[in-house]
Amino acid sequence: MPFRRHPRRPLFFAAAFRGLLLLSVLGVGGCSNSPHPEPLAEKSENGAPWKARYSALPEDPRSLDPQVTYDNVSRRIMEPVQECLLEYHPFKTDPYELRPCLLTQLPVRTEREGGGISYQCELKSGILFHDDPCFPGGKGRELEAKDVEFAFQRMADPKVECPVVSTLQDYIEGLGETFEAARKSGEFDYSKPLSGLKVTGRYTFEIRLKEAYPQLLYWLAMHFTSPVAREAVEYYDGKTHEGVARELFRFHPVATGPFRIAEWKRNTRIRLQRNPGYRTTAFPTEGWEAAQEGLLRPLAGRALPLVDEVSFTIFRESIPIFLLFRQGYLDGMGVGKDAFSSLITPSKDLSAKYLERGVTLHRDTEPSTYFMSINMEDPVLGPNKKLRQALSAAFNAQGYLDVFFNSVPIVAEQLLPPGIAGYQKDFRNPYAFNLEKAKALMVEAGYPGGRDASGKTLELTLDTNGGSADERLMAEFEQRQFEAIGIKVKVIENPFARLMEKMDQGSFQISAGSGWGADYPDPENFFFLYYSKNLPPTGKNHSRYKNPEFDRLFETMATMENSPEREQIARKLNMILSEDVPHLLTLHRSVFGLTQPWAPRVQSNPMLEGGLKYAVVDEALREKLRGDWNRKPLWPALLLAACVVSAGTFALNVYRRS
Amino acid sequence: MVAYLIRRLFFFVPIVFGVMLLTFVLFFVVQSPDAMARRVLGPKATPKAVENWLHNRGYDKPLLLNRTGQAPWHDSLFLNQMGRLARFDLGKSDVTNRPLAEDFREGALPSLLLTVPAFFVGLALSVVFALYLVFIRNGVVDLAASLACVALMSVPVMVYIIAGQFLVAQVLNYFPAFGFQLEGFSTAKFLLLPVALMVVSGLGADVRLFRAMFIEEMGQDYIRTARAKGVSSALVLLRHVFKNGLINLITLVVASLPFLIMGSVVLENFFGIPGLGNKLFSAIQAPDFAVVQASVFLGSLLYLGGLLLTDICYAWADPRIRLQ
Amino acid sequence: MAAFDLVWVQNLSVFTGYALLGGALWRVAGTERWKAAWHRLRGDRTGMAALALICVFLLVGTLESFSVPQPTGSRTLLQLATAGIPQEKGYSAPLATTTLSVANPTPLAGRHLLGTDALGRDTLVQTLRATRSALWIGGLTSIIYIPLGVLLGILAAFYRGWVDDVVQYFYSTVAAVPEILMLVSILMVLGKGLGTMAIALGITGWVGMARLIRGETLRQVERPYVAAARAMGQSDWKILMRHLLPNVMHLVLIKAVLGFSGLVLAEAVLSYLGVGSPVGTASWGAMIDASRSELSREPFVWWNISTSAGALFLLVLALNLFGDSLRRAFDPKHG
Amino acid sequence: MLELRNLSIDFGKGASRVQAVKGISLSIAKGETVALVGESGSGKSVTGMALTRLLPEPPAFYAGGEILFEGRNVLGMNARELRALRGGKIAYVFQEPSTSLNPVFTVRSQIAEALHLHRPEVADVDAEVVHCLDMVGIVSPRQRMDDYPHQLSGGMQQRVMIAMALACRPQLLVADEPTTALDVTVQAQILDQMRQIKQQTGMAMLLITHNFGIIGGIADRVAVMFRGKIVEEGATATVLGNPQHAYTKALIGCIPQLGQHRRRLTTIDHDALGALC
């Protein structure tokens, strides 16, 4: 092995010096620390500066097929791309209000002779699909009633796997029968019209129901009923692709929304670009809170969308979101537990550091309720109403929120969340946390101090969804609550599917972490959880609650149109549940969100999943503040270079000395 | 040599079969296909939707052998899937229905861009440090380095990542603290931090291991011979110890080479690198049996490839070994 | 009474474990090789310091392993010993006077040398209690994987032929299945728990040991003493137990000591994967895993991670140093 | 040429200190062959290694005395001077040729390494390697030199070791049990070879062995070591013929008749040799 007897020192130093220079240039010089690629364009068609919004997304959407998409993540991408027949008004959330989107007006209800109900609908004319190679010439064609028919047919196609077909088949004519027939034959015949949806003209169609179901309108504001162009499905899911790799239809939506997907890099980002042909809706001219007058009035009546690009970056861990928000590379973020303490002051305001930066804090409450289910068929808990009430009174929901949710959400006092018809603002849970009352109730329940007549300690099991560190701590917290009234609680951690299985089979006593998020803002969507005809495995009455009085009232209420009477019944249902305690209520989920000064929030309707078509951005302000927030100090680079050079010199010396 | 390799390849077939059977059993013992469908479809799914989902993917067939009498005995879930894998058809994801071959192809490059530089830089640094520690062995610096190595080992990688990202995003701002874009040379600025963290987090254990290996080598007679010849300590290390240690190193290192393609779960999650790192991990959580199966299949091929590669490298590096 | 049984089963198993360990040490202590090694070890100051530290950990772990039935369920000796330390409402910094809680900082009931965790439990006490998990996982897993790996390794190398093929087939197959899948699946089937975690780690862990022992035995079988033993008509079993086993024992010991620290670290990884120790069991892994969110708070909660990682560091360091000393003590070339 | 004055070597420190060599004095003149004899553990190998400070320090520690090579104290030399000494002036042949040769380098490269270090002026390295191998009696050295050590027999390996030692034309060859690991017939051949080479090159030699049987025809003088001390020293014939110290007597008693019948070494009669000591 030849080796150099006299290593040439100057050469080494020259190299080190050059490395230092390179590093300085690379680090401190022009190199941008932006995680985002350049925007899709520099100027929009009318010559205005390109406006882009930057958001975070936790994972890739699973499917963007409107008839399939059910999870929140996918819906966030779905919402700006694919529009529904109806939509929620962006500003009216108490109560929620529907307004037409693809339709010219809300559907008109008519009674059919021989029973059954029809809804007459009419599409707006002149709505165009996105430009896409699946259409002749690549130009999007006009939306017609047959596209709605195709969408309804797809719901009935077992191969499509529409998750809500088993719910809708109870109401829409022919849906269930067609589904079953296709399952048997293995093939769906799209040439046969569906009896539940009748095309009556180029733009008009009729939806036929077996019985009264006013909630249908809410379904028309969901993507399952969104029209689909048959060409697109045939083009992307067709058997022959002429050797060219093509995305499946479920990853390549062709729709009529204000945005279209311009780029989808798996696991990295999704970029939406404004649909230049979009004319369907405009910015609402009324309905906002007075406080927002100054911000929203100038926008009223403007063509949507208000930005040219929306870029979603995928973050599988939440910590980097906070870092990038601080650098100005995200326009908004939800305040998770991790970042909470650094952002929010004890009085639930934004900390001064961020107020100075012009950041705004928002609190959003979702139409959802979380609770622990009690198994009403359990021999110990089922017959003993006092015991259930004692459990409810022993559980410190506020403490639970303080420890695990930074006291952001609202303690749930009733099954219905705020904003849903029947929610009682002044209602207080009679068995809310009160340790003394709980102990008294334990005596009434026959377990004074947690011991039964024979002096044996009462033992209950608590099934939880085991997994993360937080879930462990929650289980320990819950355990402690019941131990305070002398009950010994055994925690069983289950994998999610096992927990579901146990809940379906009814093999549990108390199950932690149940909850229900509204599919649509209607009391029926919550009370049906305790309807006795809705028992598992087909239904979701996991508490196995059976009460004839409750059932009777529920049946009446379910098919009523919203009215004061209906609210009365909802209140009665609420009282019954509060007294019977088939569940231990915990919270209505709410979160804090932050927005940067250049991207003020225009709407906060949780049913809209972002409402990106209303979003605005001040590009120039962002550019300036980003520069201010990302200064690059020189000293660390010099320090590092000095370390490298001295280490190199040292190594050289060691080698020479030997 | 060729005959040897062919013989090894034949030995691999039953191993792959065993691995797939074991995976299948492990996965479906943990949860029935029914439970899997529930997880994928979420808590609101109806039994009918679950049943339809299972049927569309063939999960409603008997698990191992078809003994219903209505279909041929081999029309079972496991055998159908083995048949598919035997044709190197990885199938489609249970959750997204996307062809897996495409997913794996897309994820491989980002993973490799992260792990390959980290692997080689880490290896080089560990070897250099280990050699240096052997050079000054039993001294105060050596002891201090031992402590430092154990300390490096006991700090979980998450802590390195949080600290590193904080430093880059709050203090330096030189390059992005997060993100990934494949665009030629400037991809490097996204990889700088994760690669550095991967190197640091692996350094402690590797230095300890290599140091032990080299010390072992130092006790050999031929080292004494070399020193008796007048070879300097540095050259003894760089030439004699290193080359012999290399042979031991190969058994440890080469086998893990093919796995570089599988990336790193934690780093990819924290830095948003779209690699294969969390494929298996999130597939177990999702759960997505098709992805688990495909990952394990590829993984076992990689493992066996690693074994074969080790044999070949061993024969190449150690003159005493001939493959027969 | 289920609780009664559980407590005594646990206490009994700790006793049994110690008895087995003591017996094994007693058995080997008489042999020349071990005597010499012990003699050399005694002169090794770092080694002895490390051993002392390990004994302290063992003591703490033992205190936590013995439970006494109490009215509200069983409590461990360590819990009883630290019963005087009050529980707070939430995080508090070391020696702080109020909780860190942003919403309503409340005065603390007592001072805590190393602060408290999210549920207001004293960090130092939690860290000490967690020693038990680490030692149980390390110890139980070792009891499972060492005999399995050693036996299979020796048998494969001694008999060669089909035995070797079968053993090699098994360990190649196990090694080729990703460890995450194996661990997660086994833990999901058997349920969470220290015992099941040890079983899962044992099932994946024997491969390395078997491979090492097989290699070493292959070398030993060639040695004349084996041929001599055969020539004297000794049975295979005797040759295996009396001649081969003692000659690979030093490797087993070193691998076991170093493997122990790997197992303790594995627990942290398993917690990250969501299959760590069960609710109610203090563990360093769970504490480290929780630090992911604690560290990104502001002001960040550093005491939980640093205390648990520090304890882990001390144990791993002690084991490593002791392992080094053992290696030196057993090295036949030494002295 | 080489002189040890009152040399003491310890291993370890404090309580675990072991005195391996306790103040020995020994000298070797140019061209002279001295045998250092003693049973294992007597400190003879330590002495041999100490000549060029080959012992790892720590644990070894030079407690006292001097090692003078051509008038210079080896213990005072710096690393560079020591390296020049090792291999260049004083070369070694060790006991176990199978482990003393580096298994991953060819014979050629191992010999060439020594040449590079001490005789950089040699232009045709291959020719010199061949010459060295030829000198130690290796048949067809040109083919052999590309072999790896494991491809050679034990005797051949030891010849390569000797060739490597001779390559730099040292003034002193330290042969530490050069034949112990070899079988008896090969032992004789190797010893023969060494004797021849000594005559050809005229270098001095320190032969370290536990076996009185092999020193007869080769050593000029003998020093007997026992528990770190030299207990007897003198001309070979004198010591063998009339040992003074009890230990020497015991050692010699161990090898009946060997002194007188050294010619018959190659015969089968002395097979039991190895087992006796």
Side-chain angles (χ1 to χ4, degrees), chain A residues 317 319 326 338-339 341-342 344-346 348 353 403-404 407 467 469 472-473 475-477 479-480 488 491 493 495, chain C residues 3 71 73 87 89 102-104 118-119 121 188 192 272 274 276-281 286 289-290 292-293 296-298:
Chain A
E317 283 284 345
I319 293 163
R326 280 195 54 156
D338 301 342
S341 307
S342 61
I344 315 291
T345 65
K348 297 278 177 296
K353 198 157 63 178
V403 175
F404 298 108
S407 331
R472 275 172 53 110
L473 288 177
E476 286 181 38
F477 182 91
Q479 199 174 20
R480 283 221 324 259
K488 195 171 162 197
V491 174
E493 292 177 275
Chain C
Q87 180 156 5
K89 293 238 175 326
V102 182
N104 43 344
L119 293 185
R121 294 170 302 194
M188 281 181 170
K192 279 182 173 190
Y272 178 68
S277 17
V279 167
T281 318
D289 184 42
R292 256 186 313 156
S293 57
S296 47
R297 293 173 75 106
E298 205 177 283

